[in-house]
Amino acid sequence: EPKRIDIAVKGNANSLALAVRDNGKGLPTDWQKPGRFGIRGMRERARTLGGDVRVDGLETGGVRVEAALPLG
């Protein structure tokens, strides 16, 4: 139930970076539990393309998701 979502996209000829941050409730305590595939699926797709995805719970209660992908 975030009130604000910030999205930043940066890129150049070699890479693309995406960051999404919200001010919601944060991650549930069981977000890494087996059987939960949303974030795992994002990481697998990014790694298939040679990139990576990071997910962090913020001290303020929100969540930050960052993805970095090579281009070309």
Side-chain angles (χ1 to χ4, degrees), residues 6 8 12-13 28 44 55:
D6 296 312
N12 58 41
E44 288 174 1
V55 178

Side-chain angles (χ1 to χ4, degrees), residues 27-55:
L27 295 166
T29 56
D30 65 346
W31 73 276
Q32 291 183 329
K33 183 173 112 176
R36 311 237 10 197
F37 299 106
I39 293 171
R40 184 180 313 159
M42 288 190 293
R43 283 189 178 134
E44 288 174 1
R45 288 180 190 99
R47 289 179 181 155
T48 298
L49 297 171
D52 197 20
V53 171
R54 284 186 42 199
V55 178

